[in-house]
Amino acid sequence: MTPHPGRRRAGRRSLVALLAGVVALLAAAAPAQAAAGYRYWSFWRGTDGGWAYQQQGPAVSVPPDGAVDGWRFAVSPDGGQQAAQPRAASGFAAVCADTPAQPGRKRVAVVLDFGTAADSGSAEAPPEQRNACATVVPNATSAEVLAAVAPPLRYDGNGLLCAIAGFPKAGCAEQLGAAAEPSAPEAGGDGGGPDVGLIAGGALLAVLAGGAGWQARRRRTS
């Protein structure tokens, strides 16, 4: 028996509605991920064309003579490359021109950008941007370079740099945005609440299963 045309149209409308619901759910998940960010000091290497994100941490990076280390405090996404860059120029000569070379030492320019009032996240006003020329031993790391020109530095228990020249006075790489709001741990989860992607994936499977069942019923009745 051929299904009534009205029933076929109703089945198609139901399938389309379910698919539209899944698309909406996936779209709703994206802004929550994008809203997340961190307030922290990002680390940069000066180049002829500007700034390149440092792939090594300051305790590992050993800048050569004539290098430029840049630091920027800001609210930035995790992952490094999309972090806020120092707003000052990255040239070595502009910073170290008045610092003479010394035998057995190296010079490293340091550019410090303390960010904006909005970046600070508190009533604490950020210091003005400033530059310094460090004269250190050849094997000094970027962490040692920074300690020579911008004390005091503050680190957390995991060795993460939290403050340069005492700024900020408190906090360390706080996560911000919708994704930062903790929720009750779910069974079998990681303590971050239910995963919207998993929910949407389950809904999509339900839609596909429903569509397959509808097609099977159509074949049986046709």
Side-chain angles (χ1 to χ4, degrees), residues 30-221:
Q33 294 295 330
Y38 294 83
R39 181 179 287 113
Y40 66 101
W41 280 102
S42 58
F43 181 31
W44 302 83
R45 172 174 52 85
T47 67
D48 291 338
W51 296 103
Y53 188 77
Q54 271 285 14
Q55 301 298 326
Q56 295 180 315
V60 176
S61 172
V62 179
D65 181 65
V68 182
D69 282 356
W71 295 89
R72 170 70 191 272
F73 188 78
V75 174
S76 298
D78 194 16
Q81 299 291 348
Q82 302 303 316
Q85 299 181 8
R87 292 168 291 174
S90 59
F92 173 80
V95 178
C96 290
D98 296 332
T99 303
Q102 299 179 23
R105 310 281 285 183
K106 68 179 179 183
R107 291 177 299 167
V108 178
V110 180
V111 175
L112 300 175
D113 187 340
F114 295 86
T116 66
D119 289 326
S120 70
S122 69
E124 182 181 4
E128 294 293 328
Q129 300 180 53
R130 69 177 191 241
N131 302 331
C133 188
T135 303
V136 292
V137 296
N139 63 347
T141 65
S142 290
E144 293 169 324
V145 168
L146 189 60
V149 297
L153 308 181
R154 177 168 56 85
Y155 293 87
D156 72 359
N158 297 316
L160 179 66
L161 181 62
C162 304
I164 296 176
F167 181 85
K169 294 179 180 178
C172 193
E174 299 96 339
Q175 187 179 8
L176 311 176
E181 296 175 3
S183 57
E186 298 292 322
D190 59 1
D195 191 316
V196 176
L198 292 178
I199 295 173
L204 180 58
L205 288 176
V207 168
L208 294 176
W214 175 71
Q215 291 288 354
R217 289 193 299 272
R218 182 183 178 186
R219 286 195 295 270
R220 285 198 301 270
T221 56

Side-chain angles (χ1 to χ4, degrees), residues 20-35 178 196-197 200:
V22 170
V23 171
L25 188 58
L26 290 172
Q33 294 295 330
V196 176

